[in-house]
């Protein structure tokens, strides 16, 4: 990032987004593209600014001009939403609202509109120091960012970098349009025509067809918004590479529990004399060392408790394909520690069942050994 960069690039893509500029009471609509209040709210989250302190920050951030490019328009849909059930909603006077007929806490019902499967390129342009401060916040956000509402989680990194451009139009044009998969985002040719929404320069007469939008926040926590003029038009953008690999190019899925596993499982249990390789209790499960390589040598016989311990350790260390080998002496301490934790956290009845199962097996083993000696 250059110290003279005056433009911030954001990618706003998610299964659901909501950018309301005219939402009131029980009916919460969304616009077809991101609002300035929503984008500046996202930046305040990244900075960790409380609502009561937002007015000071917004006085600076609202000076940034905003441009939006619609890379994928998505579609609109509705959700039926409830809030305050069994808890209550506070009135403007601070009292909890109750239903007049029953005296029960009142539930707030609303219909909320969302943008489904949309993707936008957003650019903010202005003072280089403000741009640098926003970029640093997005690189290390204090709070998680969201796209309009807290349930709208971005599926791609929001921060795309910074640059130096004379106009918002030039900045929006500089980023290639990238289809996800050719069969979904079809494209004929080397360019793509996209809708854009550019904030008109304040202090100059707006052109014909400009839209007046009240989405410049003066402070969050109460309804207080200024207006700006937004110009809708189109631009032609060069097409880049596909961002996702088509399914036909992906290696076929190998079922780690298929017929090959069933055969290897039986052989593994026989090889281990149907005993757990870790604690020598009766083996009930067979553990994969590698889901992509299922053979007798990559399986381990385990009792239920030791298998649970292995699974917990793998989840805790975010292990996926390559997993823990319970027969490796290097893992012995971790296994014992996890087994003790599992036993201590389980209910008394479950602990008794584990101990009973072990006692019964020891008794059966001693009886069979005595018969062989006789």
């Amino acid at each position: 990032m250059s110290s003279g960069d005056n433009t911030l690039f954001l990618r706003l893509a998610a299964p659901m987004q909501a950018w309301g500029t005219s939402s009131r009471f029980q009916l919460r609509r969304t616009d077809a593209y991101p609002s300035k209040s929503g984008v500046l709210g996202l930046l305040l989250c990244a900075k960790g600014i409380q609502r009561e302190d937002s007015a000071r920050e917004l006085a600076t951030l609202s000076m940034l001009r905003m441009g939006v490019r619609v890379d994928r328009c998505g579609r609109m849909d509705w959700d039926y939403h409830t809030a305050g059930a069994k808890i209550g909603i506070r009135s403007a006077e601070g009292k909890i609202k109750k239903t007049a007929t029953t005296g029960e806490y009142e539930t707030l019902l609303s219909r909320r509109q969302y943008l489904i499967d949309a993707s936008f390129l957003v650019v903010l342009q202005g003072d280089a120091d403000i741009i640098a401060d926003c970029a640093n916040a997005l690189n290390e956000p204090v709070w998680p960012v969201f796209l309009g509402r807290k349930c709208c989680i971005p599926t791609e990194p929001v921060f795309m970098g910074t640059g130096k451009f004379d106009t918002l139009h030039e900045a929006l044009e500089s980023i290639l349009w990238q289809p996800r998969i050719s069969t979904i985002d079809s494209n004929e040719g080397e360019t793509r025509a996209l809708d854009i929404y550019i904030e008109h320069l304040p202090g100059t007469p707006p052109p014909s067809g400009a839209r007046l939008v009240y989405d410049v926040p003066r402070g969050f926590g109460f309804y207080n918004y200024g207006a700006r003029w937004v110009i809708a038009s189109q631009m032609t953008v060069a097409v880049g590479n596909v961002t996702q690999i088509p399914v036909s190019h992906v290696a076929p899925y190998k079922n780690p529990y298929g017929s090959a596993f069933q055969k290897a499982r039986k052989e593994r249990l026989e090889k281990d004399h149907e005993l757990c390789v870790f604690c020598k209790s009766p083996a009930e499960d067979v553990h994969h060392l590698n889901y992509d390589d299922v053979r007798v040598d990559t399986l381990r016989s385990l009792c239920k408790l030791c298998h649970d311990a292995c699974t917990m350790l793998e989840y805790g260390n975010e292990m996926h394909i390559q997993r823990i080998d319970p027969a490796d002496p290097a893992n012995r301490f971790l296994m014992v520690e996890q087994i003790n934790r599992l036993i201590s956290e389980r209910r008394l009845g479950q602990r008794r069942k584990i101990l009973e199962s072990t006692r019964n097996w020891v008794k059966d083993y001693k009886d069979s050994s005595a018969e062989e000696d006789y």
Side-chain angles (χ1 to χ4, degrees), residues 165-221:
F165 297 89
D166 292 332
T167 66
L168 289 170
H169 194 283
E170 288 180 9
L172 290 172
E173 198 175 30
S174 69
I175 303 296
L176 299 177
W177 178 80
Q178 292 183 286
R180 289 172 297 170
I181 299 178
S182 55
T183 54
I184 296 177
D185 294 329
S186 59
N187 182 68
E188 298 176 0
E190 298 178 353
T191 60
R192 182 87 170 188
L194 301 172
D195 292 331
I196 61 172
Y197 300 90
I198 292 181
E199 182 176 337
H200 182 62
L201 188 65
T204 58
S208 175
R211 177 191 174 203
L212 189 63
V213 183
Y214 287 87
D215 70 344
V216 183
R218 298 191 180 103
F220 288 112

Side-chain angles (χ1 to χ4, degrees), residues 301-318:
S301 302
L302 290 175
C303 67
K304 180 75 168 62
L305 182 61
C306 290
H307 192 226
D308 287 349
C310 277
T311 303
M312 294 288 285
L313 287 169
E314 287 159 355
Y315 284 161
N317 291 284
E318 296 184 357

Side-chain angles (χ1 to χ4, degrees), residues 103-124:
E104 295 180 350
Y105 288 147
E106 188 173 316
T107 301
L108 179 65
L109 308 178
S110 63
R111 293 184 66 217
R112 305 194 178 199
Q113 195 176 35
Y114 291 91
L115 269 175
I116 310 297
D117 195 30
S119 178
F120 304 97
L121 172 67
V122 174
V123 295
L124 293 169

